[in-house]
Amino acid sequence: MKQVSSFISSFSKYKKCFLMVVFTFVFCVIIERVLCFFLVSDVLGNGSSWERALFHEFYEQEEIDNLFLGSSHVFYNVIPEQLDEINGEKNFNLTTGVQPYNGSYYLLKEADRKFDLSHVYLEMYYAVPVYHADYNELSVLTRNWDILYQMPFSYNKFAYMCEMSDKEYYSMTFFETRRFADDIFDLESIKNNVTIKTGENYKQHRFVSYDNGEQEFYARKGYFYTEAEYEGDVFGTSTGGFVPFEENPIGDMPEQYLRKIIEYCQKNDIEITLFTSPMPDYGLFGMGNYDVYVEKVNEIAGEYGISYYDFNLCNTEYLELLDTSYFCDGEHMNVAGAEKFTSVLGTVMQAEKNSALPEDMFYETYQEKIAAIGNRILGLQYYVVNDSEKIAQIEKELDDFDAEKERLYAMHLISTGEVQTEYRISKIPEGQKEKTVMQDWSEQIYFAVPKEENGTIYIEIKIGNEIKTISPIYYSKME
Amino acid sequence: MLFNSIDFILFFPIVAIIYYLIPNKFRYIWLLVCSYYFYMCWNAKYALLLLFSTAVTYVVSLLLEKIENSDYALEKKIRRKKLTMVFGLAVNLVLLGYFKYFNFFTGTINKVLEKISMEMVIPQYDILLPVGISFFVFQALSYTIDVYRKEIYAEKNFFKYALFVSFFSQLVAGPIERSKNLLKQINERHRLEYKAVWTGLLLMLWGFFLKLVLADRIAIVVNEVYGSPENYPGVYIVVATVLFAFQIYCDFNGYTMIARGAAGIMGFQLMENFDAPYYAGTVSEFWRRWHISLTSWFRDYLYIPLGGNRKGKIRKYLNILTVFGLSGLWHGASWTYVIWGLLNGFYQVVGDLLKPARDFVVEKCGIKRELFSHKFLKWFTTFVFVDFAWLFFRAEGLGHAKLLIKQLFHFNPWILFDGSLYQLGLAEKNFQFMIGMLLVLFAVDYCKYKKLDIIEKIYKQGVWLQAVVFAILFWVIIIFGIYGVEYEASQFIYFQF
């Protein structure tokens, strides 16, 4: 009796404390939910509406055999339903924009928790480790947060959050609303969020393209598509110069997670294959030493006894994607390209299982492939010249260029051999309808547009008797 | 380790939980270990300095007591006690002087030598100022003097005394505790009490609010203006200086609140350091309400021993100027701090001299002192004087202070209304939010001024309302705090002292 009364008295002593903890927790959660609703934009920017649709479908799946992890080079280029038909298994793309390897690792664990995975295909887009060398960069954190928004709370998610960055960044990782603190005074943004979140598309987890209107669509099982074709016969790129790979092209942190992914699969009896989705060649060739990357991935794959297929090294007899019409932009495929690539990928997946992969399907090195495709134009670099010395030098050479009032562009043709070219350059300034020709078939590789002008530039390239175009270049007033 | 860092957020709960889990007789050891770890996170080597200062004052105090209890003749006893105390004080002051003032004094001497065209140059050294040295040295000094004065017994347990000097919650920026208060509590048994934990958490939250939401937000504007006064003349400097008055208050009071809260959770009651200072009606009243632990330290250990107000008016004024000049120097090794201190002393001297005249005017004009308008006028004028002195405190040197004062004389009041203030690093809504939060601070301080204990009032409310207060404060800090990826965890201003 004494013990009972002692227990009751001690309970009443701690009752207030208990209630305080519970009430504080409940009120904190309520406030957090309300703030999230108004502030957190999990469908705008970085195509998150697509991720919302993707993850909803992922958690609704009953079975997944083959899981694809990686970047947009999978969700644009690989069609799981086509693979289902080829291999008779359940394939799923759990891929997100420039997916960091730490994200891939925790997504793998998330999928393994829910499904009986038999094979993981990890896509190895070379720029992922380049962009994500430092996981504390806001750009990388943003990519990870895009994944976090869609994951229900679990120990796996908690571990992911803890490992995602250094602890100095935890406030943003653990409190979604903190990421949008600057928007708290932006009524327009709050209104926009409310409109989106109360809309039927959001409630039904439908994909809506906020950037490209009706151009892009979400199909099923993590496939995202567009039928639009690249506008131009030659790939154009505004990059000033390609950066060759350093000694370790993967970087320490990404490599650490790449190894963790492989080791996790091997420990849990999940087969794993590394692959790189094909890209237009101008970037890989322009970089000059793409083989350094191929060697490094092959080295890691060899270390673990797993396969690595770089489809950029695929013999064109098996996969020929040199034409711009297979792409929707300078990196990703459209439906035509994806169907073609998926078919070959499916064949490779099947062949790998049967050990029946043709020996000549992949070149050993990228250099071999370039040698095999012969003399070709791969792309055109065009870029604004910012080097004042260079500008002064060109000003002396070009009669009608005024460095004070105009910005200077330079062009550089990316080709596998020597090619004689001439360029015709026209523009349509904003508000005008007719093209103005600035340069009419000349070898001159510099041209200029007024600094105070907005408009569109059109470049045509004459190679022999053939005339090729690149996609229009938009320019705007210099700040 | 800063209070506003993730390390402290992880460190403190672990310390507090283990503190209550272990038997009482080991708790001071645990706190001592944690306190040294806390200090060593900043610079491990300088923990030896802290240990040295502690050991010297510990031994000196024991000696003082031994001499006191000895059979020496009274005169000899007094002489020996004095010598021992002076030794203890000198060792600590030499430490402080070397680490904090060596380069300041040698730099000043070099400048003078240069002025009189002497080619001699005293070498200067790259000395890293040990964080909180002014605080722990002053705490050790007060203990030695208290033992000398027989106001307390010397602590026999070295570890307990070491904890008194190094207690992590007040080690680096005060309050400068007295042995009569803190050392006594170290010897007491602290039970886990709901109210103590509740109050401590609320104080900590309020401290974080003051630091992260207000002080660091205000700092953006102040740093912008003070960083390039040539671009921001006239009213810009007035606005920045007014804001700085609140920045330093929120920064230092924020630290004190977190320190008091953290100590309170473990059952320790640290002294109040601020008592609604900007509601002071005179500069001397301001100093009774601002950094109370330091002001009272100077009063007890310098002003009164110098004669206080007992040796005539001139001596009293000299004492005030001495105390405030040294108080300025205590804050930092720069002439701007000395000027700031002397200016505050000067205000008080002039205030005292003009008191009869002021009383005469009030009486003749029939002004009722209890009227709000009269009080408001006093608050306002006191604030103006105190705030002008803050300009020297914030200036980065005498040249900078001169430039700021020169730039003050530009007539551009329209910047208050044309949106120019929103170009100082805080956009319109953010600036307005800052003003709104300052009004909240005014309201809370007014309650304090009126002796209304808000914490007690909230505590008496229902549990759900208490929880709402906690939850709202928590989220205001999370959302509106200036910290994280975009901002470096900014130090508390008083850490440098």
Side-chain angles (χ1 to χ4, degrees), chain B residues 64-83:
Chain B
L64 283 172
E65 208 164 69
K66 197 176 172 192
I67 297 166
E68 181 60 38
N69 297 331
S70 68
D71 301 330
Y72 294 134
L74 186 63
E75 203 176 312
K76 191 177 178 186
K77 195 185 273 186
I78 291 171
R79 202 175 59 242
R80 288 211 166 189
K81 270 183 76 179
K82 261 191 184 157
L83 271 174

PDB file of all heavy atoms in Angstrom, chain B residues 64-83:
ATOM      1  N   LEU B  64      47.014  32.807   2.958  1.00  0.00           N
ATOM      2  CA  LEU B  64      46.391  33.950   3.662  1.00  0.00           C
ATOM      3  C   LEU B  64      45.684  33.459   4.927  1.00  0.00           C
ATOM      4  O   LEU B  64      45.795  34.062   5.990  1.00  0.00           O
ATOM      5  CB  LEU B  64      45.387  34.650   2.747  1.00  0.00           C
ATOM      6  CG  LEU B  64      45.972  35.569   1.678  1.00  0.00           C
ATOM      7  CD1 LEU B  64      44.887  36.041   0.722  1.00  0.00           C
ATOM      8  CD2 LEU B  64      46.650  36.776   2.319  1.00  0.00           C
ATOM      9  N   GLU B  65      45.005  32.353   4.788  1.00  0.00           N
ATOM     10  CA  GLU B  65      44.266  31.827   5.935  1.00  0.00           C
ATOM     11  C   GLU B  65      45.224  31.269   6.993  1.00  0.00           C
ATOM     12  O   GLU B  65      45.000  31.424   8.194  1.00  0.00           O
ATOM     13  CB  GLU B  65      43.305  30.737   5.472  1.00  0.00           C
ATOM     14  CG  GLU B  65      42.103  30.629   6.374  1.00  0.00           C
ATOM     15  CD  GLU B  65      40.993  29.839   5.708  1.00  0.00           C
ATOM     16  OE1 GLU B  65      41.185  28.626   5.530  1.00  0.00           O
ATOM     17  OE2 GLU B  65      39.976  30.436   5.365  1.00  0.00           O
ATOM     18  N   LYS B  66      46.296  30.661   6.469  1.00  0.00           N
ATOM     19  CA  LYS B  66      47.277  30.107   7.402  1.00  0.00           C
ATOM     20  C   LYS B  66      47.927  31.235   8.207  1.00  0.00           C
ATOM     21  O   LYS B  66      48.097  31.113   9.430  1.00  0.00           O
ATOM     22  CB  LYS B  66      48.334  29.334   6.596  1.00  0.00           C
ATOM     23  CG  LYS B  66      49.145  28.396   7.436  1.00  0.00           C
ATOM     24  CD  LYS B  66      50.102  27.597   6.596  1.00  0.00           C
ATOM     25  CE  LYS B  66      51.042  26.816   7.509  1.00  0.00           C
ATOM     26  NZ  LYS B  66      52.153  26.252   6.793  1.00  0.00           N
ATOM     27  N   ILE B  67      48.274  32.310   7.522  1.00  0.00           N
ATOM     28  CA  ILE B  67      48.889  33.457   8.216  1.00  0.00           C
ATOM     29  C   ILE B  67      47.892  34.025   9.236  1.00  0.00           C
ATOM     30  O   ILE B  67      48.242  34.353  10.365  1.00  0.00           O
ATOM     31  CB  ILE B  67      49.322  34.545   7.208  1.00  0.00           C
ATOM     32  CG1 ILE B  67      50.390  33.992   6.263  1.00  0.00           C
ATOM     33  CG2 ILE B  67      49.833  35.788   7.922  1.00  0.00           C
ATOM     34  CD1 ILE B  67      50.656  34.850   5.040  1.00  0.00           C
ATOM     35  N   GLU B  68      46.664  34.124   8.811  1.00  0.00           N
ATOM     36  CA  GLU B  68      45.616  34.668   9.682  1.00  0.00           C
ATOM     37  C   GLU B  68      45.504  33.852  10.970  1.00  0.00           C
ATOM     38  O   GLU B  68      45.328  34.405  12.057  1.00  0.00           O
ATOM     39  CB  GLU B  68      44.275  34.657   8.916  1.00  0.00           C
ATOM     40  CG  GLU B  68      43.100  35.225   9.682  1.00  0.00           C
ATOM     41  CD  GLU B  68      43.300  36.677  10.076  1.00  0.00           C
ATOM     42  OE1 GLU B  68      43.873  37.437   9.278  1.00  0.00           O
ATOM     43  OE2 GLU B  68      42.931  37.031  11.214  1.00  0.00           O
ATOM     44  N   ASN B  69      45.614  32.525  10.819  1.00  0.00           N
ATOM     45  CA  ASN B  69      45.468  31.655  11.986  1.00  0.00           C
ATOM     46  C   ASN B  69      46.793  31.427  12.733  1.00  0.00           C
ATOM     47  O   ASN B  69      46.840  30.641  13.668  1.00  0.00           O
ATOM     48  CB  ASN B  69      44.906  30.290  11.560  1.00  0.00           C
ATOM     49  CG  ASN B  69      43.525  30.453  10.967  1.00  0.00           C
ATOM     50  OD1 ASN B  69      42.809  31.386  11.334  1.00  0.00           O
ATOM     51  ND2 ASN B  69      43.159  29.582  10.053  1.00  0.00           N
ATOM     52  N   SER B  70      47.851  32.073  12.261  1.00  0.00           N
ATOM     53  CA  SER B  70      49.163  31.854  12.893  1.00  0.00           C
ATOM     54  C   SER B  70      49.302  32.685  14.182  1.00  0.00           C
ATOM     55  O   SER B  70      48.439  33.504  14.508  1.00  0.00           O
ATOM     56  CB  SER B  70      50.267  32.240  11.912  1.00  0.00           C
ATOM     57  OG  SER B  70      50.212  33.639  11.719  1.00  0.00           O
ATOM     58  N   ASP B  71      50.426  32.472  14.837  1.00  0.00           N
ATOM     59  CA  ASP B  71      50.643  33.193  16.095  1.00  0.00           C
ATOM     60  C   ASP B  71      51.492  34.441  15.908  1.00  0.00           C
ATOM     61  O   ASP B  71      52.029  34.998  16.874  1.00  0.00           O
ATOM     62  CB  ASP B  71      51.367  32.263  17.101  1.00  0.00           C
ATOM     63  CG  ASP B  71      50.538  31.016  17.340  1.00  0.00           C
ATOM     64  OD1 ASP B  71      49.297  31.130  17.235  1.00  0.00           O
ATOM     65  OD2 ASP B  71      51.124  29.944  17.596  1.00  0.00           O
ATOM     66  N   TYR B  72      51.670  34.873  14.676  1.00  0.00           N
ATOM     67  CA  TYR B  72      52.482  36.068  14.442  1.00  0.00           C
ATOM     68  C   TYR B  72      51.891  37.269  15.175  1.00  0.00           C
ATOM     69  O   TYR B  72      50.673  37.333  15.403  1.00  0.00           O
ATOM     70  CB  TYR B  72      52.524  36.422  12.946  1.00  0.00           C
ATOM     71  CG  TYR B  72      53.224  35.413  12.079  1.00  0.00           C
ATOM     72  CD1 TYR B  72      52.660  34.987  10.881  1.00  0.00           C
ATOM     73  CD2 TYR B  72      54.473  34.897  12.439  1.00  0.00           C
ATOM     74  CE1 TYR B  72      53.292  34.076  10.068  1.00  0.00           C
ATOM     75  CE2 TYR B  72      55.106  33.974  11.624  1.00  0.00           C
ATOM     76  CZ  TYR B  72      54.522  33.557  10.452  1.00  0.00           C
ATOM     77  OH  TYR B  72      55.146  32.655   9.650  1.00  0.00           O
ATOM     78  N   ALA B  73      52.772  38.243  15.410  1.00  0.00           N
ATOM     79  CA  ALA B  73      52.291  39.510  15.966  1.00  0.00           C
ATOM     80  C   ALA B  73      51.392  40.170  14.926  1.00  0.00           C
ATOM     81  O   ALA B  73      51.569  39.950  13.718  1.00  0.00           O
ATOM     82  CB  ALA B  73      53.482  40.413  16.272  1.00  0.00           C
ATOM     83  N   LEU B  74      50.453  40.966  15.390  1.00  0.00           N
ATOM     84  CA  LEU B  74      49.436  41.550  14.495  1.00  0.00           C
ATOM     85  C   LEU B  74      50.065  42.290  13.314  1.00  0.00           C
ATOM     86  O   LEU B  74      49.661  42.117  12.159  1.00  0.00           O
ATOM     87  CB  LEU B  74      48.532  42.487  15.299  1.00  0.00           C
ATOM     88  CG  LEU B  74      47.349  43.060  14.526  1.00  0.00           C
ATOM     89  CD1 LEU B  74      46.397  41.964  14.072  1.00  0.00           C
ATOM     90  CD2 LEU B  74      46.624  44.099  15.352  1.00  0.00           C
ATOM     91  N   GLU B  75      51.072  43.102  13.616  1.00  0.00           N
ATOM     92  CA  GLU B  75      51.694  43.909  12.562  1.00  0.00           C
ATOM     93  C   GLU B  75      52.345  43.009  11.504  1.00  0.00           C
ATOM     94  O   GLU B  75      52.184  43.220  10.304  1.00  0.00           O
ATOM     95  CB  GLU B  75      52.748  44.809  13.191  1.00  0.00           C
ATOM     96  CG  GLU B  75      53.058  46.036  12.341  1.00  0.00           C
ATOM     97  CD  GLU B  75      54.037  46.948  13.049  1.00  0.00           C
ATOM     98  OE1 GLU B  75      53.814  47.234  14.243  1.00  0.00           O
ATOM     99  OE2 GLU B  75      55.030  47.307  12.412  1.00  0.00           O
ATOM    100  N   LYS B  76      53.052  41.996  12.016  1.00  0.00           N
ATOM    101  CA  LYS B  76      53.728  41.064  11.121  1.00  0.00           C
ATOM    102  C   LYS B  76      52.688  40.279  10.290  1.00  0.00           C
ATOM    103  O   LYS B  76      52.869  40.031   9.093  1.00  0.00           O
ATOM    104  CB  LYS B  76      54.573  40.097  11.949  1.00  0.00           C
ATOM    105  CG  LYS B  76      55.536  39.257  11.115  1.00  0.00           C
ATOM    106  CD  LYS B  76      56.372  38.379  12.009  1.00  0.00           C
ATOM    107  CE  LYS B  76      57.290  37.499  11.199  1.00  0.00           C
ATOM    108  NZ  LYS B  76      58.003  36.552  12.038  1.00  0.00           N
ATOM    109  N   LYS B  77      51.642  39.937  10.987  1.00  0.00           N
ATOM    110  CA  LYS B  77      50.562  39.179  10.318  1.00  0.00           C
ATOM    111  C   LYS B  77      49.980  39.999   9.162  1.00  0.00           C
ATOM    112  O   LYS B  77      49.817  39.516   8.031  1.00  0.00           O
ATOM    113  CB  LYS B  77      49.474  38.875  11.364  1.00  0.00           C
ATOM    114  CG  LYS B  77      48.487  37.828  10.933  1.00  0.00           C
ATOM    115  CD  LYS B  77      47.387  37.673  11.935  1.00  0.00           C
ATOM    116  CE  LYS B  77      47.719  36.688  13.024  1.00  0.00           C
ATOM    117  NZ  LYS B  77      46.570  36.441  13.918  1.00  0.00           N
ATOM    118  N   ILE B  78      49.719  41.274   9.474  1.00  0.00           N
ATOM    119  CA  ILE B  78      49.129  42.148   8.450  1.00  0.00           C
ATOM    120  C   ILE B  78      50.101  42.308   7.280  1.00  0.00           C
ATOM    121  O   ILE B  78      49.700  42.218   6.105  1.00  0.00           O
ATOM    122  CB  ILE B  78      48.755  43.525   9.056  1.00  0.00           C
ATOM    123  CG1 ILE B  78      47.583  43.359  10.016  1.00  0.00           C
ATOM    124  CG2 ILE B  78      48.406  44.544   7.972  1.00  0.00           C
ATOM    125  CD1 ILE B  78      47.253  44.588  10.832  1.00  0.00           C
ATOM    126  N   ARG B  79      51.383  42.527   7.617  1.00  0.00           N
ATOM    127  CA  ARG B  79      52.377  42.730   6.567  1.00  0.00           C
ATOM    128  C   ARG B  79      52.493  41.473   5.700  1.00  0.00           C
ATOM    129  O   ARG B  79      52.483  41.542   4.477  1.00  0.00           O
ATOM    130  CB  ARG B  79      53.728  43.062   7.197  1.00  0.00           C
ATOM    131  CG  ARG B  79      54.646  43.789   6.199  1.00  0.00           C
ATOM    132  CD  ARG B  79      55.941  44.243   6.810  1.00  0.00           C
ATOM    133  NE  ARG B  79      56.727  43.164   7.363  1.00  0.00           N
ATOM    134  CZ  ARG B  79      57.060  43.058   8.649  1.00  0.00           C
ATOM    135  NH1 ARG B  79      56.651  43.975   9.517  1.00  0.00           N
ATOM    136  NH2 ARG B  79      57.788  42.046   9.083  1.00  0.00           N
ATOM    137  N   ARG B  80      52.540  40.334   6.331  1.00  0.00           N
ATOM    138  CA  ARG B  80      52.671  39.074   5.569  1.00  0.00           C
ATOM    139  C   ARG B  80      51.434  38.812   4.712  1.00  0.00           C
ATOM    140  O   ARG B  80      51.534  38.349   3.584  1.00  0.00           O
ATOM    141  CB  ARG B  80      52.881  37.898   6.530  1.00  0.00           C
ATOM    142  CG  ARG B  80      54.245  37.923   7.138  1.00  0.00           C
ATOM    143  CD  ARG B  80      54.723  36.537   7.432  1.00  0.00           C
ATOM    144  NE  ARG B  80      56.146  36.567   7.712  1.00  0.00           N
ATOM    145  CZ  ARG B  80      56.897  35.504   7.838  1.00  0.00           C
ATOM    146  NH1 ARG B  80      56.346  34.320   7.697  1.00  0.00           N
ATOM    147  NH2 ARG B  80      58.171  35.580   8.089  1.00  0.00           N
ATOM    148  N   LYS B  81      50.306  39.106   5.290  1.00  0.00           N
ATOM    149  CA  LYS B  81      49.058  38.893   4.535  1.00  0.00           C
ATOM    150  C   LYS B  81      49.027  39.793   3.300  1.00  0.00           C
ATOM    151  O   LYS B  81      48.663  39.381   2.202  1.00  0.00           O
ATOM    152  CB  LYS B  81      47.836  39.190   5.416  1.00  0.00           C
ATOM    153  CG  LYS B  81      47.331  37.977   6.184  1.00  0.00           C
ATOM    154  CD  LYS B  81      46.089  38.288   6.965  1.00  0.00           C
ATOM    155  CE  LYS B  81      44.869  38.362   6.114  1.00  0.00           C
ATOM    156  NZ  LYS B  81      43.662  38.629   6.872  1.00  0.00           N
ATOM    157  N   LYS B  82      49.437  41.044   3.534  1.00  0.00           N
ATOM    158  CA  LYS B  82      49.441  42.009   2.420  1.00  0.00           C
ATOM    159  C   LYS B  82      50.381  41.532   1.319  1.00  0.00           C
ATOM    160  O   LYS B  82      50.032  41.535   0.131  1.00  0.00           O
ATOM    161  CB  LYS B  82      49.886  43.384   2.915  1.00  0.00           C
ATOM    162  CG  LYS B  82      48.701  44.310   3.185  1.00  0.00           C
ATOM    163  CD  LYS B  82      49.146  45.713   3.410  1.00  0.00           C
ATOM    164  CE  LYS B  82      47.913  46.532   3.778  1.00  0.00           C
ATOM    165  NZ  LYS B  82      48.228  47.721   4.501  1.00  0.00           N
ATOM    166  N   LEU B  83      51.581  41.138   1.761  1.00  0.00           N
ATOM    167  CA  LEU B  83      52.573  40.685   0.784  1.00  0.00           C
ATOM    168  C   LEU B  83      52.058  39.481  -0.008  1.00  0.00           C
ATOM    169  O   LEU B  83      52.197  39.411  -1.235  1.00  0.00           O
ATOM    170  CB  LEU B  83      53.863  40.275   1.511  1.00  0.00           C
ATOM    171  CG  LEU B  83      54.892  41.382   1.732  1.00  0.00           C
ATOM    172  CD1 LEU B  83      56.035  40.876   2.586  1.00  0.00           C
ATOM    173  CD2 LEU B  83      55.434  41.870   0.375  1.00  0.00           C
TER     174      LEU B  83
END
